[in-house]
Amino acid sequence: MGSALPLGSLPAAELFYWLGVATLTWLSLKAACRLLSGARVFVLGAGVEVGRFGRWAVVTGATDGIGKAYAKELAKHGMSIVLISRSQEKLDQVAKEIKQFQVETKTITVDFGEGAEIYKIIEAGLAGLEIGVLVNNVGISYNYPEYFLDVPDLDNLINKMLNINIMSVCKMTRMILPAMVERSKGIILNVSSASALYPVPLLTLYSATKTFVDFFSQALQAEYKSKGIIVQSVLPFFVATKLSKIRKPTLDKPSPETYVKAALNTVGLQTQTNGYLPHAILGWITTSLLPVSLVIKQSMKMNQGLRARHLKKLKEKGD
């Protein structure tokens, strides 16, 4: 019997055949692992019981959308809630809604776009509280997709978006994490965005800030996991909120309540999560099956369409 031919001596057609088999096998195994992991998290699994990490939960950007939904869902788990946002009227309304769960509420009124001075106010408001969960949710995006240099009032938006989307996450974590480490337990949930999974043209600054949140969260989890701390990066696709300008929930664009209920069940199971099964499937497709260049191209095309429709509406109003 003859010995097997070395790889370098195989005919080109046969070489490409075996490379194809190896690639297909690898992709199939990778897909199977992702599917099994998804089933474990979204079908079979349940996250940690958040209430055992401390009496209070702190939620930034708590008066609308995902932030409000986190506040209510955590209250259902018996946690008292600190609501932080810029509108006292809206804070009072959410606090009133949460009282049905028979938990305490506390409100702190600040505008995260104003910079470092607000954190003295927040720190004073949180003094003495045993904080088990921090939800860094506050964030802003563009009013509509736009080329970077054409964004209205660009210099102001840069400062505001960096303060709200990045500075708030760092400062709130710096404020609350030490006590969690001292007690050897705590949960930090940082709401990023699916736009952090790949660059999104015409939402360039927003996408970049959310990538910071994702990387910051994953690295922080690696640093403090051994201290009993859970840090999770939450990367939703579209959710029916004021920020996304989607009014009617659908299967792939859920209500904030549906999304957060699912996302909270992933805490302790995934460091980086899309939070909701249909979003996890979208995340798998866009990061594992499709080339990044194609995803960027399609994002560009979609946002150019949204931009054109927005500018057309503005022109019609002007006329």
Side-chain angles (χ1 to χ4, degrees):
M1 294 179 65
S3 59
L5 289 170
L7 187 63
S9 62
L10 288 174
E14 191 172 350
L15 175 61
F16 282 117
Y17 169 79
W18 286 111
L19 285 173
V21 169
T23 301
L24 184 60
T25 301
W26 166 249
L27 290 175
S28 298
L29 288 171
K30 189 176 180 181
C33 287
R34 288 290 292 268
L35 288 171
L36 287 172
S37 176
R40 180 180 70 86
V41 173
F42 294 103
V43 180
L44 303 174
V48 298
E49 177 45 56
V50 293
R52 68 179 178 83
F53 283 79
R55 181 183 172 191
W56 288 85
V58 176
V59 183
T60 68
T63 54
D64 290 300
I66 290 176
K68 181 179 177 180
Y70 263 114
K72 285 188 169 184
E73 194 64 31
L74 290 167
K76 288 180 185 178
H77 285 259
M79 300 194 75
S80 296
I81 311 295
V82 181
L83 306 163
I84 307 179
S85 192
R86 64 179 179 174
S87 168
Q88 187 62 53
E89 183 180 354
K90 288 184 177 181
L91 285 168
D92 290 341
Q93 177 59 39
V94 176
K96 184 178 178 181
E97 293 176 30
I98 287 175
K99 284 183 179 178
Q100 66 177 298
F101 304 112
Q102 298 182 342
V103 298
E104 286 187 64
T105 60
K106 183 179 177 69
T107 64
I108 301 175
T109 309
V110 293
D111 183 347
F112 283 99
E114 292 183 356
E117 291 302 313
I118 64 167
Y119 295 98
K120 295 177 182 178
I121 299 171
I122 296 172
E123 191 165 18
L126 299 180
L129 302 182
E130 183 193 60
I131 298 168
V133 178
L134 166 63
V135 183
N136 282 314
N137 165 76
V138 67
I140 60 168
S141 185
Y142 291 19
N143 289 328
Y144 65 95
E146 184 57 279
Y147 293 89
F148 180 67
L149 293 180
D150 294 332
V151 172
D153 197 13
L154 178 58
D155 285 338
N156 182 54
L157 181 69
I158 290 172
N159 292 332
K160 194 172 181 181
M161 193 171 287
L162 292 178
N163 280 334
I164 295 174
N165 292 7
I166 293 179
M167 184 70 75
S168 70
V169 175
C170 298
K171 288 285 192 178
M172 292 301 299
T173 300
R174 169 66 184 89
M175 189 186 303
I176 292 173
L177 182 58
M180 290 181 170
V181 172
E182 188 175 335
R183 298 193 330 267
S184 297
K185 61 180 180 180
I187 298 171
I188 298 175
L189 306 177
N190 293 328
V191 180
S192 178
S193 164
S195 67
L197 295 172
Y198 41 78
V200 180
L202 275 66
L203 293 176
T204 300
L205 187 60
Y206 175 76
S207 176
T209 61
K210 290 301 184 178
T211 301
F212 173 89
V213 174
D214 181 44
F215 276 36
F216 178 77
S217 303
Q218 292 187 67
L220 205 65
Q221 171 68 119
E223 289 180 15
Y224 288 96
K225 184 178 181 180
S226 64
K227 307 288 187 181
I229 309 302
I230 295 173
V231 183
Q232 185 184 62
S233 175
V234 185
L235 302 100
F237 280 80
F238 288 115
V239 176
T241 65
K242 288 182 180 179
L243 185 66
S244 67
K245 296 180 176 64
I246 297 171
R247 296 181 180 180
K248 188 177 180 181
T250 60
L251 178 63
D252 63 325
K253 302 176 184 67
S255 68
E257 293 77 16
T258 297
Y259 179 82
V260 167
K261 186 174 182 179
L264 210 56
N265 278 329
T266 70
V267 177
L269 300 178
Q270 290 183 311
T271 298
Q272 184 195 49
T273 185
N274 293 118
Y276 174 65
L277 181 56
H279 287 193
I281 294 170
L282 284 171
W284 172 57
I285 291 171
T286 54
T287 59
S288 296
L289 297 185
L290 300 178
V292 174
S293 59
L294 178 60
V295 176
I296 293 174
K297 183 178 179 180
Q298 289 302 114
S299 297
M300 178 73 169
K301 186 177 179 180
M302 179 185 73
N303 283 334
Q304 282 176 325
L306 292 172
R307 174 182 181 271
R309 285 196 290 275
H310 178 83
L311 294 178
K312 183 180 179 182
K313 286 181 180 179
L314 286 181
K315 185 177 180 181
E316 289 172 351
K317 286 181 180 179
D319 294 341

